[in-house]
Structure formats: C-alpha cells, structure tokens
Amino acid sequence: MCQGTCSSENTALYPPNTFHDMGLDATLVYGDSQTGTYARGVIGYDAVSLAGLTLQDQYFAAINDTNTSVVQSRCSGIFGLGFPLNSVIWTDLFLNQHRVSRRRSLKREVVPRIAVAWRNYASRWFEKSTLGISSSRHIDTPFNQSMHQQKRQTSTIISSFGESAPFIPRLVSLGALALPMFAIALQRDTIEIGGNEGMLSIGGLPLGVQNESLTWVPVRKYTLQQGGLIQDAPLEAYPIAWEIPVDDVFLDGVKLPRSQLSSPNISLSALIDTGNSLIRGPPDVISHIQNMLGGPHFACSSPHTLTFQIGGRLFPVDPRDFVSQVRLGNVEVCAANLAQTDVPVLGGGGYLYSWSLGDPFLKGVLAAFYYGSFAGPSQDPPRIGFLSTVPSDAGEQLEDTVSAAAMEQDDLPGTKASPPSSLSSPWSTGIGGIPLASPLSTGTGDIPVVSPLTGSAHDDRGGSSQPGQANGAREGIKVGSATALWSTFVTLAMWTFLHF
C-alpha cells in the first residue's frame, strides 16, 4: 500500500473475494489545482489486518479507474492516515446512513462544487456543508436546523468514527491503541541511498525514541467561521488535516518574505503530507527562492538549505533531498524539489495552509502524529512532533557525492524498492535513536516488527509515553493493544502490511 498523511482514504486496486460491495461509489480527488489526480471505485467492507491489528467490517474503496501513479509504483492501493472528516468514503457512508432521503438531491449539488474545490486543496472536503459543516456559501444554519440539532449532529458525526472511519482513526476511536498516534520516517532513495529507515510505528513512538527529544506543535483546529464543524461545546473546534503553525522560513540562513498573495489575517501554516513528493509553497515565495538560487536550474555541487522554523526550532531540509538531477548524463545541473501551490483564501471554504511539506522535508525528520480526542480536542488536542535527523555535514556529503559521480561519469544514484519479504533488525541507529537504513540498501532488505505493547500509560521507553504533554495532554489515557511496524518505501510512498 502507498501511504499518505493528508489522505484519509483506504483504497485497494484488487479487492479480495470476500469484499462486500455497499452499492456506493466513491470519487477521490487528490492534489491541488495544478495536479488533478483522481481515483474512482465502489465502497465495500472486509476484515483488514495490519501488523497484528485487525478490524472486522472495515470500509474501503475498490478502485477501478484512476490516473494516479500507484500502479506504476507497484502499490496495491492507498493507506490513508488523515482525519475522518477529510474522507470521502466516510462522508458517503455517513450520508447514506443518515441522509438517505436527501441522497439523490445532494449528489446533484456536489457536481458543480467539485470545480470550485479545485481552487484550493480542499477537494476531499467538498461535501462538508451537507454534514452540518459550514462553508462560505452555507454559513447559515444547514438544513434549517436549530443549534441544538446541529450540536447533536456533530456528536453523531464523531460517534460514527468507530464504525466507518479509516483504519487507523477507527482504531483510535475504539480505544484500541495504547496511544492515539503513529510515527513515520522516510528513507532516502536518491542522491545517497540510505538515511532513516523507512518506518511506520502505530500506537506509540518507535522503540528507543524518547518523547522529550521531539518538538511538539498543535494541529490547526477549524472553527465554524473557518469552515469547521458546528461546535459541540463552548470554544470547541475540530481538526480536519495534519496542518501546523510555522514561525518562519529560511533559505541558506536568510529569512524569506511572507507571501503577498494571501490575507495577512491568515496565520502561516503548513500541511504535513507523506503523499506529496515535493515541497509546495506560495507562488511568489517559490519564485523568490528560485531567484535566490539563480534560476530554476543551478549547480548540483552547491548545497542549499531550506529551513522551516516550527515551534521555535529550526528544521532544515537535507540539501541532498532538496535537489534533483535535471537530465540524465549530466550531474552538474540540478533543480529544487519545489512547486507552487494554491493560495489560501479567507472564507473560501478550503484549507488555510500556505505550505505543503512533503517527502523532501520528511526524509530529514521523524514525524509523530497524535490524533488526540476526536470528541474533545480542547481537552486532548491533536499535535505533531518532529525530531530532525539532518546531519551537520549534509552539504559536504552532497558535494562529495556529486564530485564522485562526475569523476565516474555516472548519474546520481536512485532506486525503486520492492516490498520486503522477511523481517530482521535495523542496520543501525542514528540521531535520537531512530533506525537507519544501510547506506548500500536498495530498500529490499529485512524489516523488524515490534510485538504489541500493553501496560500502563508510562512504558519502559523512559519518560512519559504521552506525546506533547506540555500541550495539554490528559493523564490516565486508556491503554489497549499497540504495535509498531517498520517498512521500506516504494519510490516516495510507504508500503505497509495492509491485508486486503
């Protein structure tokens, strides 16, 4: 399976014979207005298992029409890790179960809204007004409901997560994990093969990684005025995507200007998305960066460092992940792994982030994603923790790699990995105890699986097992089974043991 933290969808290209068709179709739209990839298929359910965790009657979509690259990447589908509110599959199921009489008319309303949604990376959010969630055109009371009815509907929405949410959020809703979280690290597959071991850890941090070594920041919660759910309690707001505040952005130590294309009333934020192979940002800021680099193409041997200040700490993009070779046979000319993306608009009914930090950023960190409480995010808020793994000599390593490739008249290395077939220990550990991939590995080596964890909310990894405790974490969290799974990556996407 390919994996994405922005996407909430669980999809499979080849469903098993035990797949139960619900008779509902799903159209999934990915990317921003400049990408426009899609997947279509039927919604059904089956038993799903992942690293010892099993859920019966898990809903997902069996895809039979797509223009995405998952087939070429040898993935069997997409394993979404986003919030349930961002899921078209969950939305379709909720509408079918709670708005059956309105289903036909609602579908007619959705079609013209898709075109509007392309303007902002909110295309998976286009049916929100039908759920009692506001939008710029539906800011008044949805379906002429009273506020009491709307609050009750919000409670119904949240309670439905235990039945029809995507796999990991559903486990969280059911209290089946020791901690409502997962953590990821991406392996470098270009320039210099290796870096962090490709890894997905579910229900806690990877063994050996301490909670105190991460910098934790809150996930943006959308108010009613920003297009979020009706508040179920005073001052309550709910998360929709893995979006976090950003203090500032720097290139080679120089602070970049803020975008002039969006309202200054929109605070600077970024989406953290493993399904994005680039770093996407405001068009005017991306153009400014390219001007600082001397144009879209520049010398591969000149390392550049794009740095994001998050939670008061600097998180650089490894110079080796920042660039790509432009043409085969020429290791002298590179381009930055950057792209422009849509500008957030206040009252536009879409997301408010300016940056989308994809794989080039995530290859240089361990990122931990904590869902918190779906029902009471103000008491147990969602957050993301980062631990930078970029070595201080990363720029020198890039120079050495380019020089060696030029002397050998060879291209910079790259690899596409197949799913692993056996399990063993990691090659070594690096910064913060994060497992490292072998420098000579092509991604087809062995991977370890950790046994399920049980016990108290403080485990034997040292320190508090509750992430981001300074940000208002609750005590006495319910502990169920937990597990951790390491896996190698297929190109720039996660392959996991999702059993369809």
Side-chain angles (χ1 to χ4, degrees):
M1 300 295 292
C2 297
Q3 171 262 353
T5 54
C6 179
S7 170
S8 302
E9 314 303 345
N10 294 156
T11 67
L13 297 178
Y14 308 102
N17 294 331
T18 53
F19 177 79
H20 300 276
D21 189 343
M22 289 288 295
L24 297 173
D25 296 329
T27 298
L28 315 175
V29 187
Y30 303 98
D32 55 20
S33 62
Q34 302 178 54
T35 51
T37 54
Y38 68 87
R40 302 188 184 102
V42 296
I43 299 174
Y45 61 90
D46 197 357
V48 173
S49 296
L50 171 64
L53 297 167
T54 301
L55 284 176
Q56 301 295 325
D57 300 333
Q58 175 61 43
Y59 293 100
F60 59 95
I63 300 303
N64 50 38
D65 178 22
T66 182
N67 64 350
T68 65
S69 60
V70 293
V71 177
Q72 293 87 338
S73 299
R74 293 176 289 178
C75 295
S76 58
I78 293 177
F79 184 51
L81 295 168
F83 289 93
L85 286 178
N86 210 19
S87 168
V88 168
I89 297 173
W90 169 83
T91 299
D92 284 351
L93 289 167
F94 187 89
L95 288 173
N96 183 65
Q97 294 167 5
H98 298 276
R99 300 288 182 190
V100 175
S101 61
R102 296 180 179 267
R103 182 72 180 178
R104 187 176 301 275
S105 62
L106 288 175
K107 275 300 181 182
R108 287 198 296 266
E109 295 172 10
V110 164
V111 176
R113 262 185 268 164
I114 295 178
V116 176
W118 281 117
R119 294 200 307 255
N120 194 299
Y121 190 42
S123 48
R124 288 185 302 282
W125 199 5
F126 57 78
E127 286 196 284
K128 59 188 175 182
S129 64
T130 67
L131 299 178
I133 309 172
S134 75
S135 74
S136 58
R137 289 171 296 165
H138 297 79
I139 201 69
D140 296 326
T141 306
F143 301 125
N144 297 316
Q145 294 175 331
S146 68
M147 185 59 68
H148 175 72
Q149 289 173 316
Q150 294 171 51
K151 290 181 178 180
R152 186 172 59 187
Q153 183 158 301
T154 295
S155 298
T156 302
I157 288 173
I158 294 171
S159 64
S160 72
F161 295 166
E163 177 185 354
S164 53
F167 185 79
I168 297 299
R170 187 178 170 208
L171 287 170
V172 171
S173 182
L174 294 172
L177 301 179
L179 293 172
M181 65 172 292
F182 64 91
I184 59 103
L186 302 186
Q187 181 176 324
R188 181 177 303 108
D189 62 352
T190 59
I191 310 297
E192 284 187 275
I193 309 303
N196 297 329
E197 179 92 90
M199 176 180 62
L200 170 63
S201 174
I202 299 173
L205 294 173
L207 295 177
V209 177
Q210 304 299 320
N211 177 62
E212 306 83 55
S213 62
L214 276 67
T215 298
W216 292 90
V217 290
V219 168
R220 184 193 288 268
K221 293 179 287 185
Y222 279 72
T223 65
L224 174 63
Q225 292 73 23
Q226 293 170 331
L229 275 175
I230 299 294
Q231 295 169 249
D232 191 38
L235 304 179
E236 193 66 274
Y238 302 89
I240 295 177
W242 292 115
E243 179 185 347
I244 59 167
V246 173
D247 302 331
D248 279 301
V249 187
F250 302 83
L251 179 67
D252 296 335
V254 177
K255 182 178 176 179
L256 298 176
R258 296 291 176 91
S259 174
Q260 299 300 305
L261 301 178
S262 59
S263 169
N265 295 325
I266 301 178
S267 59
L268 187 64
S269 64
L271 181 74
I272 309 301
D273 185 9
T274 59
N276 176 9
S277 62
L278 300 170
I279 292 176
R280 301 177 184 271
D284 54 343
V285 180
I286 297 297
S287 295
H288 183 80
I289 292 174
Q290 291 179 334
N291 289 336
M292 293 179 66
L293 296 172
H297 298 162
F298 49 88
C300 296
S301 58
S302 298
H304 296 281
T305 304
L306 181 66
T307 302
F308 293 85
Q309 185 177 11
I310 300 171
R313 185 164 295 181
L314 298 178
F315 291 90
V317 176
D318 194 305
R320 294 167 293 180
D321 300 323
F322 182 66
V323 297
S324 292
Q325 182 178 334
V326 174
R327 288 182 291 273
L328 293 176
N330 185 351
V331 296
E332 302 296 331
V333 181
C334 276
N337 290 321
L338 299 173
Q340 300 179 0
T341 194
D342 300 319
V343 176
V345 179
L346 276 178
Y351 298 126
L352 298 178
Y353 63 82
S354 298
W355 292 86
S356 176
L357 305 187
D359 298 337
F361 173 82
L362 288 164
K363 289 178 184 178
V365 299
L366 171 80
F369 299 78
Y370 184 81
Y371 290 98
S373 170
F374 292 142
S378 60
Q379 285 75 44
D380 187 14
R383 46 202 176 270
I384 301 179
F386 297 104
L387 172 59
S388 178
T389 60
V390 178
S392 58
D393 64 344
E396 297 173 13
Q397 293 190 44
L398 173 63
E399 293 176 355
D400 293 343
T401 299
V402 173
S403 176
M407 290 181 61
E408 297 174 4
Q409 297 183 336
D410 197 5
D411 292 314
L412 295 174
T415 184
K416 292 184 179 181
S418 297
S421 58
S422 59
L423 309 173
S424 68
S425 300
W427 175 73
S428 181
T429 56
I431 297 174
I434 297 173
L436 295 179
S438 168
L440 301 178
S441 171
T442 61
T444 58
D446 297 338
I447 60 174
V449 170
V450 175
S451 300
L453 304 174
T454 57
S456 68
H458 293 265
D459 61 26
D460 59 5
R461 284 171 283 183
S464 170
S465 64
Q466 179 69 22
Q469 202 160 18
N471 293 326
R474 71 180 187 272
E475 295 182 359
I477 186 169
K478 181 176 181 180
V479 177
S481 62
T483 187
L485 169 71
W486 280 274
S487 65
T488 55
F489 282 80
V490 182
T491 313
L492 296 176
M494 177 87 77
W495 181 90
T496 66
F497 290 112
L498 185 58
H499 175 78
F500 283 126

